[in-house]
Amino acid sequence: MEVLGVVRTVPMVELFPGEVVVRTSAVVWVGGPGPRPGVLTLTNRALIFDGPVPVGPPGGGPPAPSAGPPQLEDGERRFPLWRCRGAKVSPGPAGMRLEIDLLQRVIFFRTAEPGVWATAINQARATAPPPPPGTPGVGGGAPNLAAQRAAMPRCAYCQNLNAPMATHCKTCGAPLA
């Protein structure tokens, strides 16, 4: 496959039991340490980028201020579909691109068919396995702070939050509606 003048072979991604390839093609990951040509594979469980990736585990922490650009090596980055909030086509400096909204960040790829990719990713997400039990901030995990506060009634008189099952305000004693 040729992407921006760089020829890459289609890699054989390692699949887990029950995992099947839905779509694969050459892409350019844009952003971060610069454009990186590679191959993007969508399975029924994950998005897998094969190409230059930063050395070390994903999300391994911020680099030191004097570290310079991250070191890259040929490798693979796997993004489970439960981490993906959605995919869409968005404008970029070099034309339309595929935008993937993950839990902690947004990543962008240049590809020949960003609309087809976005549709395929969103369809695969709909049938993908749920997050592992206990994953914080995701559907199957512990409730986040906003959800906890939403369950706490606010006193109409003093505006203080109260325990979820309280019938009277703990601060002023007013009945909670």
Side-chain angles (χ1 to χ4, degrees):
M1 269 181 212
E2 185 172 332
V3 179
L4 298 178
V6 177
V7 177
R8 292 189 59 87
T9 58
V10 177
M12 294 295 294
V13 295
E14 188 175 328
L15 300 176
F16 295 122
E19 190 173 24
V20 295
V21 173
V22 175
R23 182 169 185 75
T24 190
S25 73
V27 298
V28 175
W29 186 339
V30 292
R36 297 175 275 161
V39 176
L40 187 63
T41 301
L42 171 65
T43 73
N44 59 333
R45 296 185 182 172
L47 273 167
I48 305 164
F49 175 77
D50 183 65
V53 295
V55 175
S66 61
Q71 297 283 335
L72 298 176
E73 66 183 8
D74 273 344
E76 180 180 288
R77 279 294 186 258
R78 176 180 280 265
F79 302 100
L81 288 177
W82 62 264
R83 296 184 58 87
C84 181
R85 292 183 178 158
K88 65 181 181 179
V89 177
S90 65
M96 299 309 278
R97 61 192 178 175
L98 173 63
E99 177 180 328
I100 302 170
D101 185 9
L102 300 173
L103 292 177
Q104 300 292 326
R105 63 185 177 150
V106 177
I107 56 177
F108 300 94
F109 294 97
R110 284 196 315 251
T111 178
E113 302 175 307
V116 174
W117 269 96
T119 300
I121 291 168
N122 290 326
Q123 287 174 346
R125 279 182 57 242
T127 59
T135 305
V138 185
N144 61 23
L145 185 58
Q148 290 173 351
R149 286 194 174 156
M152 300 171 71
R154 186 173 294 277
C155 177
Y157 296 97
C158 69
Q159 301 300 312
N160 283 324
L161 289 175
N162 291 276
M165 301 304 289
T167 57
H168 287 82
C169 178
K170 66 181 180 190
T171 306
C172 71
L176 299 171

